Structures are given as structure tokens and as C-alpha cells.
Amino acid sequence: DGGITQSPKYLFRKEGQNVTLSCEQNLNHDAMYWYRQDPGQGLRLIYYSQIVNDFQKGDIAEGYSVSREKKESFPLTVTSAQKNPTAFYLCASSLLAGGPNEQYFGPGTRLTVT
Amino acid sequence: AQTVTQSQPEMSVQEAETVTLSCTYDTSESDYYLFWYKQPPSRQMILVIRQEAYKQQNATENRFSVNFQKAAKSFSLKISDSQLGDAAMYFCAYLSSGGSNYKLTFGKGTLLTVNP
């Protein structure tokens, strides 16, 4: 089955620690995205990547980093510089970046930092 | 910058009845795409329906249809014959057709409750 996987579903970390969220897709999509979801806020774009070895900042990139070494993988690192890291993180992919390419989402990772 | 507004934080509907969720957006572009996504309690985002701005015909997917009013910048979602499985958070989203803007801009969502 083609799709997007994110692991783990729930992640707990202590404040001050970096943590990496996994996102893998087997849809052969060129573009991948990371969104953050907070209660009552909708989704906000953190980073996106149009092709391997290339990525761009979204609206709220501060305190986050990404890499795109393989087409199917786009891990997100939440660094200790991120002031409010507790949130629900969603990874998405699309055949190509931009319209009219629909974005398909993974199941998400709930990160809790205490 | 584009903005998307969903003015109804919560809505409820009786099973088998029809409900309409509202969405308005602001843009200076003439060509773009609009989407409705559903997020059930599992939190998986599921694409419900899409509309291309250059198409005058309203999109339809089974029990889901949209009322796209380009001049009014309005994009409402109608759910007919509501089912218990329709209960979810619904997000309206905007996507530019080109240029360097690859961001889906989301509204804040409408929580739909379906009463048996």
C-alpha cells in the first residue's frame, strides 16, 4: 500500500533535548512538507522540500531543522531552541510542489516536551 | 498573503440531514485551488474535495459538494445525508497555482458533531 508513515505516534522528551521526527513516503512524490498543528490554530508550514537535497523555510521554521537526503524521507528535528515544541506534527507529500498537486498527509506525531 | 477564514468554530447536524460549512478567503490571485480536508479523532488529515478556481462548475464527491463563489471569495462545503462517520474537524485550505508559493494556507477549522 502506498502512503506516508510517521513514527512514533507519541513522543515524549525533556526540555533542552533535540528530537527527530520521522517521515517516510512510498508514493514517489517529489515534494514533502512539515506542518505543525496547535489547538484552535489550524496547520502552519514549518519546512518544505521540492526535490532531494533542497528545502525551504515555511512560516514558522525557527527552532526546527530538516534534511532531504533521499526522495522518500524528510525527517524533522525539533531543537532546544524551539520555545514551544509541544504540538501535533504532520508530514505531507505531493507529486510536485505547488498547485494543482494535492498534498497527502501522514498520521502525525504528537510531541510532548516537559 | 492569502488568508482563509472559517467563521463557524462548531456545527452540529442530525444524522441523515444536510449541513453546510462556511469558508471565505482573501487573495489577489486569479488562479488557485481550494480544498476541504477532514480530520477525524484519529487526527489523520483526509482530502474531501477540491475545486480549481478556473472551473465554474462546483465540485461534487458523492455526498459532499461545494458552493464556490469566486467573486465573493466563498467556498462552502455541503454534506448531504450526514452520517456518524462524518463527525470530524473540517479544514478549508487554499493553494496558489504557481509561482514560488507552495504553501497550503488553512483556516482554523470547524468541528462538526453528528447527532444520532
Side-chain angles (χ1 to χ4, degrees), chain B residues 88-102:
Chain B
M89 183 72 86
Y90 286 82
F91 292 96
C92 178
Y94 173 104
L95 181 65
S96 290
S97 67
S100 60
N101 184 1
Y102 302 114

Side-chain angles (χ1 to χ4, degrees), chain A residues 37 59 98-100 102-103 105, chain B residues 33 37 39 44 50 102-103:
Chain A
Q37 186 177 24
D59 294 329
E102 298 161 8
Q103 294 183 20
F105 286 80
Chain B
Y33 301 84
Y37 280 90
Q39 188 178 43
Q44 172 85 51
R50 60 174 278 167
Y102 302 114
K103 179 181 70 174

Side-chain angles (χ1 to χ4, degrees), chain A residues 22-111:
Chain A
S22 166
C23 177
E24 304 275 333
Q25 55 97 1
N26 61 3
L27 299 167
N28 200 31
H29 284 174
D30 281 328
M32 297 187 74
Y33 313 80
W34 274 105
Y35 290 90
R36 170 182 171 138
Q37 186 177 24
D38 295 285
Q41 289 261 18
L43 278 70
R44 293 179 291 168
L45 183 66
I46 304 172
Y47 267 98
Y48 68 94
S49 168
Q50 299 179 57
I51 56 172
V52 174
N53 293 323
D54 183 59
F55 48 83
Q56 287 80 37
K57 293 181 179 180
D59 294 329
I60 55 167
E62 186 175 348
Y64 299 97
S65 65
V66 294
S67 63
R68 187 88 186 275
E69 297 176 2
K70 298 186 296 182
K71 186 176 184 177
E72 58 270 22
S73 178
F74 191 42
L76 173 74
T77 296
V78 185
T79 75
S80 56
Q82 168 50 233
K83 292 183 170 52
N84 295 300
T86 294
F88 187 63
Y89 291 87
L90 285 156
C91 178
S93 72
S94 62
L95 188 61
L96 296 170
N101 300 283
E102 298 161 8
Q103 294 183 20
Y104 297 87
F105 286 80
T109 292
R110 172 69 183 176
L111 173 65

Side-chain angles (χ1 to χ4, degrees), chain B residues 12-44:
Chain B
S12 65
V13 63
Q14 291 296 126
E15 198 175 0
E17 300 203 338
T18 296
V19 64
T20 298
L21 308 184
S22 300
C23 173
T24 58
Y25 58 94
D26 187 27
T27 184
S28 58
E29 298 175 333
S30 59
D31 197 16
Y32 47 86
Y33 301 84
L34 297 165
F35 303 88
W36 278 98
Y37 280 90
K38 168 186 177 181
Q39 188 178 43
S42 67
R43 305 198 76 173
Q44 172 85 51

